[in-house]
Amino acid sequence: MTEKQEKILKSALELFAKEGYHATSTSKVANNAGVSEGLIFRHFKNKEGLLMAILKEGENKLNELFADIVMESDPQEVVRKAIELPFIVPESEYEFWGLQYKLKWEIEMDYSHKTEPLTMALALAFVKLNYESPQQEAEFLTLSLDAIGAALIKRSMANADKMKSFLLKKYGL
Amino acid sequence: MTEKQEKILKSALELFAKEGYHATSTSKVANNAGVSEGLIFRHFKNKEGLLMAILKEGENKLNELFADIVMESDPQEVVRKAIELPFIVPESEYEFWGLQYKLKWEIEMDYSHKTEPLTMALALAFVKLNYESPQQEAEFLTLSLDAIGAALIKRSMANADKMKSFLLKKYGL
Amino acid sequence: MTEKQEKILKSALELFAKEGYHATSTSKVANNAGVSEGLIFRHFKNKEGLLMAILKEGENKLNELFADIVMESDPQEVVRKAIELPFIVPESEYEFWGLQYKLKWEIEMDYSHKTEPLTMALALAFVKLNYESPQQEAEFLTLSLDAIGAALIKRSMANADKMKSFLLKKYGL
Amino acid sequence: MTEKQEKILKSALELFAKEGYHATSTSKVANNAGVSEGLIFRHFKNKEGLLMAILKEGENKLNELFADIVMESDPQEVVRKAIELPFIVPESEYEFWGLQYKLKWEIEMDYSHKTEPLTMALALAFVKLNYESPQQEAEFLTLSLDAIGAALIKRSMANADKMKSFLLKKYGL
DNA sequence: AATGAATGAGGGTTCATTCAT
DNA sequence: AATGAATGAACCCTCATTCAT
């Protein structure tokens, strides 16, 4: 990955996040990256290729985030870490994650598998904790945490800390 | 609202939902509606005007759905109706609601206020039911139900009925 | 066929003939026609659509030229008219026909059927005139006349009149 | 001429013939030749330089073909060899010659001089054979043979052998 | 109200060519 | 001699919008 390739990727991320994928022209990306427009196509083949590169990065980052949870053997810790997940994302990454949410709807594609590792880890934890419907519980929590993440990123949640403590308590932590 | 206006709106909804706002040209909308392209601009001024009309319709429908909950005085019924909300949306309307979700991200705008009536009704209900943190509880449930709605519309939820009973039980119903 | 459509067609013919199909950009055609570039695509769908319209015109003109020969019942007259055919094309049409020749090679397509009516009329005439191999004779003459036409259009034939008399004499006319 | 130069030339010939000069990019040529794109420009200066090299090769091959005829002193043999010329081209070379025909029209240039040696040899032969209009006869035959070559290469001639015997007979051979 | 021809800006993409290595 | 990253102009085409009818 050359320096210019990274500049392109960074510009694309920024602009796609700010204005949306379709509303961002490749020439804008090139300008913003201080690079000729043709170079985008040499390195990423397509505008869509650019997008895919960014999406791939998102999936990787997500898996990194999940890794810590999946490896955890203490079921209480699994649930705690899962709940804390949306709250530990630093604000500097909001733009990046906002784009991932945006693309989830803008691009037609099945993203449900992306959260599957988390759901499975939670299901296992809830089994160990003797929850009545561990699978539903895990699915529900995954979905809810996803929604909380979205709300945080859109800064439409009034008091994040309260929500976190509320949730931890709700799950007996 | 003349007959042709409605045809335009219907076509736009269908196409925006199926292909996305940016990917749908006004000429496609006109063709699909069996109407001249110019007419769109006479009636809706803009392509964005079209979009706004559709968005407005979504907000109205949403409020209709909420109305029944907001008017309910029995707190248990409020919670039950709220939980059942995403599950009573008929499949025939999935396209419509999918578009609303899509646009929520595609267009830059704050939509959190749209669900506010629901959150308030729930908060009140949770107060009456002596929940410890009624406001958090209401916000959390609203967020979760929104996420469930999204999952249903994207048909990424394996077993909707199980999820519904699970939730009802979770809230003691 | 509106006035602007004709202007586009005329410009395209002129430029395709002068510079070649591939070397002529649609914007050049539009400029030359005093028309917006988009209009080309509204009326002809494609750059190729433009080409096809011109090709179609060529085929029609060719058939007009052949019509007089095909209707002729006197076999001697058929042969005479066929031989005279390339020589009666006015210089003002050289550009047009030059383009047809050019495209015959530039575009991958089977053009052999275009001269078939002429070959058939000649074959019939040669039968009536008791030529030994009327079919070969007809095919050969068609081919030769085509080549003569090409030479005339490229103005690479030193003395056209001499060639014409020579040919007429060769076929006993 | 280094090995890589030849590979480039060969690839260019193949691709220009198959897809046309304008439709073939230098990068495709480089890829096909297993060579870097820059090398083309070092060796041939231009895309047009590549083309010229190929054209030159065509002219050389043509002259080789003509050489045998031009050296022949027996006039009957001159005519026979000329007539047989288009028919002895092996199918494996059709691509190469097809390109030459294509370029004759695609590139603006006067190619009539290329066949001049043949015309002159034929004219001399027809003089010796006491034809009435040897010059016209030679020009006509050259033109016709060129057209026959084209038809063969485009595989639009139904029965090549018949055409050859017909011609030989026509010229008393 | 309704049409659809016409526009012009901008879209993504390709391509011949250059240049540092 | 040879590479391939980089450029920037041009290419075909689409699109929202306007306007005469």
Side-chain angles (χ1 to χ4, degrees), chain B residues 4 36 38-39 42-43:
Chain B
K4 296 216 174 187
S36 78
L39 198 56
R42 163 165 280 277
H43 284 314

Side-chain angles (χ1 to χ4, degrees), chain D residues 133-150:
Chain D
S133 312
Q135 182 61 30
Q136 310 305 322
E137 197 76 56
E139 271 180 38
F140 175 70
L141 186 52
T142 302
L143 235 39
S144 299
L145 291 173
D146 193 46
I148 285 169

Side-chain angles (χ1 to χ4, degrees), chain A residues 66-123:
Chain A
F66 289 167
D68 187 32
I69 300 175
V70 171
M71 321 275 260
E72 178 63 61
S73 55
D74 176 356
Q76 295 225 45
E77 277 312 292
V78 168
V79 177
R80 156 170 290 120
K81 282 178 173 172
I83 288 172
E84 282 171 346
L85 196 55
F87 299 96
I88 62 171
V89 171
E91 278 210 47
S92 63
E93 287 185 9
Y94 276 19
E95 196 174 57
F96 175 80
W97 291 109
L99 176 56
Q100 301 294 129
Y101 276 102
K102 214 174 210 161
L103 294 175
K104 193 154 67 172
W105 288 100
E106 197 169 351
I107 309 297
E108 219 55 66
M109 228 178 258
D110 187 18
Y111 287 88
S112 61
H113 71 279
K114 285 200 179 173
T115 51
E116 225 166 73
L118 179 61
T119 308
M120 290 184 67
L122 282 172

Side-chain angles (χ1 to χ4, degrees), chain A residues 2 4 35-36 38-39 42-43:
Chain A
T2 73
K4 299 219 174 192
V35 146
S36 75
L39 197 57
R42 160 169 275 277
H43 285 312

Side-chain angles (χ1 to χ4, degrees), chain C residues 55-83:
Chain C
L55 246 30
K56 189 79 204 150
E57 206 184 328
E59 200 163 351
N60 291 344
K61 278 205 190 184
L62 202 60
N63 285 334
E64 279 173 37
L65 286 178
F66 288 168
D68 188 32
I69 301 176
V70 171
M71 321 277 260
E72 176 65 59
S73 55
D74 178 354
Q76 293 226 45
E77 278 310 294
V78 168
V79 178
R80 156 170 287 120
K81 283 177 173 174
I83 288 172

Side-chain angles (χ1 to χ4, degrees), chain B residues 16 19-25 47-48 51 102-103 106-107:
Chain B
F16 288 176
E19 331 233 7
Y21 172 68
H22 280 110
T24 302
S25 66
K47 195 189 177 187
E48 209 189 331
L51 185 63
K102 222 178 211 160
L103 295 174
E106 198 167 351
I107 308 296

Side-chain angles (χ1 to χ4, degrees), chain C residues 17-20 22-23 98 101-112 131-133 136-141 143-148 150-151 153-154 156-159 162-163 166-167 169-171, chain D residues 17-20 22-23 97-98 101-102 104-112 131-133 136-141 143-148 150-151 153-154 156-159 162-163 166-167 169-171:
Chain C
K18 212 181 296 172
E19 331 230 4
H22 284 113
Y101 276 101
K102 214 175 209 161
L103 293 176
K104 192 153 69 171
W105 287 100
E106 197 168 352
I107 310 296
E108 219 55 66
M109 229 179 257
D110 187 18
Y111 288 87
S112 62
Y131 272 63
E132 242 182 75
S133 313
Q136 308 305 322
E137 196 75 56
E139 271 178 37
F140 175 69
L141 186 51
L143 234 39
S144 300
L145 291 173
D146 194 46
I148 285 169
I153 281 162
K154 289 201 285 185
S156 65
M157 184 176 294
N159 192 327
K162 253 193 190 162
M163 180 59 80
F166 163 76
L167 271 181
K169 195 181 218 173
K170 194 177 189 68
Y171 284 89
Chain D
K18 213 179 297 170
E19 332 234 6
H22 280 111
W97 290 111
Y101 275 101
K102 222 176 211 162
K104 191 155 70 172
W105 288 100
E106 199 167 349
I107 308 296
E108 218 55 64
M109 240 179 243
D110 185 19
Y111 287 87
S112 62
Y131 272 62
E132 241 182 74
S133 312
Q136 310 305 322
E137 197 76 56
E139 271 180 38
F140 175 70
L141 186 52
L143 235 39
S144 299
L145 291 173
D146 193 46
I148 285 169
I153 281 163
K154 288 203 281 187
S156 65
M157 183 176 295
N159 192 327
K162 253 194 191 162
M163 180 59 81
F166 164 77
L167 272 181
K169 194 182 217 174
K170 193 176 190 68
Y171 284 89

